[in-house]
Amino acid sequence: MSKVKAVITDLDRTLLRTDKSLSPYTVSVLKECKARGIKVMAATARPERTVRSYDAAIGFDGMTVMNGAKVMVGNRVMTYGIPDNLAEEMLAKVCGRNEFLFSVETGEILYAAEHIPEFEYTLHTGFPKLPAGETAYKILVSGEGATEFVQENLVGGLHCTVANGYLVQIMSEAANKRNGVQVMLDAFGIAPEEAVYFGDDFDDAESMQFCGLGVAVDNAIPEVKAVADKVVESNDADGVARWIEANLL
C-alpha cells in the first residue's frame, strides 16, 4: 500500500480494552502518530457524548459516530438522521412485539420505552411517536428473533447492522461507517489507499475493505477476520497500538 497518512479505528473491542479503558500506551502511540503528521480518526457505533473523554485523551482529527449517522471533521458536522415518518413507521412495527427491547438514539439522549439494564436512557412512553423535537439517528432493537424480524420488516430507505451478535441497529441508508470514513479522508485529501482501518465487528468490514489496509484484532468475529489483510493482537493486549508502533513509527 501507499505511505500511510491516516489511521482509522473502531473503539469498542478494538482500540478500547474490554473494560472500556484506553491504555496510556495506546494514547502515547496515537499521539506520536499525530506528531509525525499521520491523521488519527475514530469510526464507532457510539454516540458523540460517549466518545468525548477518549477524544480529549487523543485528539482525534475526525470522528464518525453512531455508525456514520454523524461525521465530524474540524468545524464541519454532517448528520444523516432517519426521516421522522420512516422512524415512526419502523417503530410501529417494533412496538407490536412485546418480546423486543428497543430504544432510539438522538445523539445527546437515548430514549427507551422500558428499562434497559446496560444503557443510560430517558424513558419515553409515547412510541411509536418520536419525542417532540428530536431526530432519530439509530433505532436499537434486541431480543429473541430481533435480527430476523427487522431484516424481514425493514422500512424502505433504512438499513440495519448487528453488533455484539445481538443488538440490531437501524439507520438511514445514508448512514454507515464506510461513508463516514470517506468523508473524513476527503477532508484531508487522503486517498483510501493511504489509510489503515482497524475493526472487529460486522459494521467494520466494509471500511476495512475500502481502505488500503484492513486490520482485525484477534478478538474480532470470524467474518471480519476473513476479510482482513492482517490480524493483530487483541484489544486487551493493545493490538492496534502495537501494530502501529511496529509498522508506522
Side-chain angles (χ1 to χ4, degrees):
M1 63 181 293
S2 305
K3 176 179 170 60
V4 173
K5 296 182 180 179
V7 166
I8 308 166
T9 181
D10 178 38
L11 295 181
D12 291 283
R13 298 169 306 280
T14 300
L15 191 71
L16 306 182
R17 292 181 169 179
T18 302
D19 64 3
K20 310 301 183 184
S21 68
L22 189 60
S23 76
Y25 167 69
T26 290
V27 172
S28 67
V29 167
L30 294 181
K31 284 189 172 182
E32 182 61 23
C33 278
K34 290 170 58 67
R36 297 192 186 198
I38 300 172
K39 301 300 181 184
V40 176
M41 308 173 186
T44 177
R46 285 172 172 254
E48 181 188 359
R49 66 180 182 276
T50 68
V51 181
R52 289 174 182 142
S53 61
Y54 305 119
D55 183 33
I58 295 167
F60 292 116
D61 294 293
M63 294 194 299
T64 292
V65 299
M66 296 184 291
N67 287 99
K70 186 174 186 179
V71 184
M72 296 165 286
V73 186
N75 294 326
R76 295 178 60 202
V77 178
M78 290 134 283
T79 58
Y80 308 93
I82 304 173
D84 289 357
N85 63 315
L86 299 186
E88 292 179 356
E89 183 180 350
M90 190 71 233
L91 285 166
K93 294 173 182 280
V94 174
C95 285
R97 300 295 294 260
N98 294 331
E99 69 270 34
F100 296 159
L101 289 176
F102 70 91
S103 55
V104 173
E105 179 59 72
T106 66
E108 287 303 322
I109 300 174
L110 179 74
Y111 289 95
E114 57 185 293
H115 178 55
I116 302 178
E118 64 266 40
F119 294 155
E120 292 184 7
Y121 62 90
T122 294
L123 189 67
H124 176 65
T125 59
F127 289 121
K129 287 291 185 182
L130 293 170
E134 295 282 24
T135 295
Y137 288 103
K138 290 202 300 184
I139 298 171
L140 307 172
V141 187
S142 62
E144 185 69 30
T147 300
E148 295 78 9
F149 177 84
V150 170
Q151 289 173 340
E152 292 171 4
N153 293 275
L154 199 60
V155 171
L158 306 182
H159 76 108
C160 69
T161 64
V162 180
N164 305 332
Y166 76 96
L167 184 63
V168 185
Q169 305 173 99
I170 305 167
M171 295 153 289
S172 164
E173 285 182 340
N176 62 70
K177 282 189 179 183
R178 183 251 185 238
N179 287 349
V181 167
Q182 183 163 20
V183 168
M184 293 191 296
L185 292 176
D186 287 348
F188 294 104
I190 298 173
E193 294 77 17
E194 299 171 315
V196 56
Y197 186 98
F198 297 89
D200 76 295
D201 212 341
F202 285 114
D203 55 12
D204 296 308
E206 190 178 8
S207 297
M208 290 171 64
Q209 294 172 297
F210 175 66
C211 291
L213 189 68
V215 181
V217 284
D218 191 54
N219 53 289
I221 62 174
E223 292 87 347
V224 167
K225 287 184 177 180
V227 301
D229 298 301
K230 294 182 182 296
V231 177
V232 298
E233 292 182 77
S234 74
N235 63 324
D236 286 324
D238 295 328
V240 172
R242 292 188 187 282
W243 185 91
I244 291 172
E245 184 177 44
N247 293 277
L248 302 184
L249 303 182

